[in-house]
Amino acid sequence: MKTLDKLMASVIESGQQDTPDPADLDLLLYSPCPVKLAVKERLDAVIKAYEEENDPIKIHIPMGCTSVDPFDPLHYESDPDKLPSIIASIGFGDFFRKGFSDKFVKTGLFEAVLPEKVTPLHEKAGIVDPKGHYTVYALTPYIFMVDKQRLGDTPPPEKWADLLDPKYRGQINMCGDGDDMADAVLMLIYKDFGMEGIKKLAANANGLMHSSRMGKSGGAEKGGGIYILPYFFAETSKQPEYMEVIWPKDGTAASPIYFLAKKDARPRIDKILEFFIKGFGEIPSAQWFLPLGGPLPPTHAPENTIKWVGWDFIYDNDITVLRDELNGTFRKLVKETF
């Protein structure tokens, strides 16, 4: 078997070039695509502030949308000194894997850093990690957008359980493209309704669609009448009058946007951490990702809630393996419906 260094080198050769050594990084950051450039601009200012103090830092933000990621093998690392001071990522991916968590997270290498005040929305949903390891500084909320013309006399869904009703057969457009999938949605359906719920959701699917296309496809001729998509794309795209955005009454399915910060790297990295717990929310477009300390977007209604999968569920399962199994099963089932 290849050593980790050789494995990473081979991935780099097959994809991106000029990739830094993770051990040299103060921050490795995967950011939501819609705000990636704005995040980079803010962090460039942070880099400049460090340089002015003669204490340069090194930040890497993978900018491409390639399936080849030279940092994919990083979760296999066994030496904590070879990890970046801050790892920031999206969704229930590699840095939630049991092997990585057992070696580094549960052993106390990382310590959560919170804003002065967590919004009541996040506090009520239990977004803060009670073990104090992960910092979920924002979320990707998934909601419904419905085509009332296509649904006709069929009432639109109000809750996640409604999507399992056979009356919506062939009506659901699911967010998913390539390896991407609305992992938080499948996780919630599985947690509440088991694999039978996944089967029922797949049976009602019209197909998979990239979330950025969903915002532009309201009323599409071949689309179903119900879209499951991120809040950002639902609210920042112009829709015909017969399209309606619905925040589920039992709460939005929420995928984590998080960071892991090495405890022994502080206080040197504190200005970077300040960006995550404060500066991120100051980016107008980032407010659609519900920053932990706020502010929330102007269209967010006070009655809207978050339906979080829960930290007990995350820590009690190998959540990344479960995510991959659910994604694979759902895709297979959707193909079988056609």
Side-chain angles (χ1 to χ4, degrees):
M1 183 177 178
K2 292 181 178 180
T3 65
L4 180 62
D5 291 341
K6 288 182 179 179
L7 180 59
M8 291 193 67
S10 67
V11 176
I12 291 169
E13 288 174 4
S14 65
Q16 299 176 352
Q17 302 296 323
D18 302 322
T19 301
D21 185 335
D24 295 335
L25 291 175
D26 295 286
L27 169 64
L28 171 63
L29 168 62
Y30 293 90
S31 178
C33 283
V35 296
K36 188 176 290 187
L37 292 177
V39 164
K40 183 180 183 304
E41 182 179 325
R42 293 292 182 113
L43 284 172
D44 284 343
V46 175
I47 291 173
K48 185 176 180 181
Y50 275 90
E51 289 175 344
E52 289 174 350
E53 295 179 2
N54 295 315
D55 185 18
I57 58 170
K58 194 166 187 178
I59 291 175
H60 184 67
I61 307 174
M63 298 303 291
C65 294
T66 175
S67 60
V68 177
D69 183 351
F71 296 100
D72 275 349
L74 186 58
H75 69 94
Y76 291 115
E77 184 58 74
S78 58
D79 183 352
D81 292 334
K82 292 187 177 181
L83 297 176
S85 297
I86 306 169
I87 300 171
S89 195
I90 307 166
F92 295 104
D94 289 338
F95 305 113
F96 278 97
R97 288 190 184 275
K98 185 177 187 301
F100 184 87
S101 179
D102 286 347
K103 282 184 294 186
F104 301 123
V105 179
K106 294 178 181 178
T107 55
L109 179 67
F110 304 109
E111 184 177 51
V113 181
L114 302 177
E116 290 184 8
K117 186 176 181 181
V118 173
T119 75
L121 174 72
H122 295 83
E123 189 172 6
K124 182 179 179 181
I127 300 302
V128 175
D129 178 5
K131 296 183 184 294
H133 303 310
Y134 294 91
T135 305
V136 177
Y137 68 94
L139 299 162
T140 299
Y142 291 92
I143 59 173
F144 310 150
M145 185 171 71
V146 299
D147 182 334
K148 291 184 286 187
Q149 282 189 351
R150 189 168 293 281
L151 286 179
D153 293 333
T154 304
E158 295 183 342
K159 299 179 180 180
W160 291 102
D162 295 344
L163 299 179
L164 311 185
D165 193 314
K167 69 185 177 185
Y168 294 124
R169 188 63 50 92
Q171 290 282 12
I172 297 175
N173 304 294
M174 181 66 165
C175 170
D177 182 64
D179 294 330
D180 181 39
M181 181 65 77
D183 55 2
V185 173
L186 296 184
M187 209 80 72
L188 279 181
I189 295 295
Y190 176 78
K191 182 184 177 185
D192 288 353
F193 308 103
M195 193 55 71
E196 191 61 29
I198 298 294
K199 291 177 181 178
K200 289 180 179 180
L201 181 66
N204 288 345
N206 177 71
L208 304 177
M209 186 182 299
H210 193 279
S211 53
S212 62
R213 282 185 55 217
M214 284 187 169
K216 303 173 184 176
S217 61
E221 183 179 345
K222 295 183 179 180
I226 302 168
Y227 297 79
I228 301 174
L229 76 169
Y231 188 33
F232 175 90
F233 292 106
E235 290 286 6
T236 60
S237 57
K238 188 175 181 180
Q239 299 295 333
E241 290 184 0
Y242 52 83
M243 300 297 294
E244 179 184 2
V245 174
I246 299 174
W247 191 285
K249 285 187 176 180
D250 50 345
T252 175
S255 185
I257 303 174
Y258 67 96
F259 66 80
L260 289 162
K262 283 184 177 179
K263 191 187 307 183
D264 63 7
R266 302 188 67 188
R268 181 173 179 268
I269 60 172
D270 281 2
K271 284 194 286 292
I272 307 174
L273 297 176
E274 185 178 3
F275 162 76
F276 287 111
I277 62 176
K278 183 180 178 182
F280 183 80
E282 294 173 349
I283 300 172
S285 55
Q287 293 173 17
W288 303 106
F289 293 93
L290 308 184
L292 183 65
L296 302 176
T299 61
H300 186 270
E303 65 269 19
N304 292 346
T305 60
I306 297 168
K307 189 173 173 64
W308 177 238
V309 70
W311 287 103
D312 286 344
F313 188 80
I314 292 169
Y315 279 112
D316 291 346
N317 291 277
D318 194 339
I319 202 76
T320 309
V321 171
L322 177 60
R323 178 204 68 170
D324 293 345
E325 289 176 350
L326 294 177
N327 287 358
T329 299
F330 183 79
R331 287 179 184 278
K332 181 175 179 292
L333 291 171
V334 169
K335 286 182 180 180
E336 292 175 354
T337 64
F338 296 100

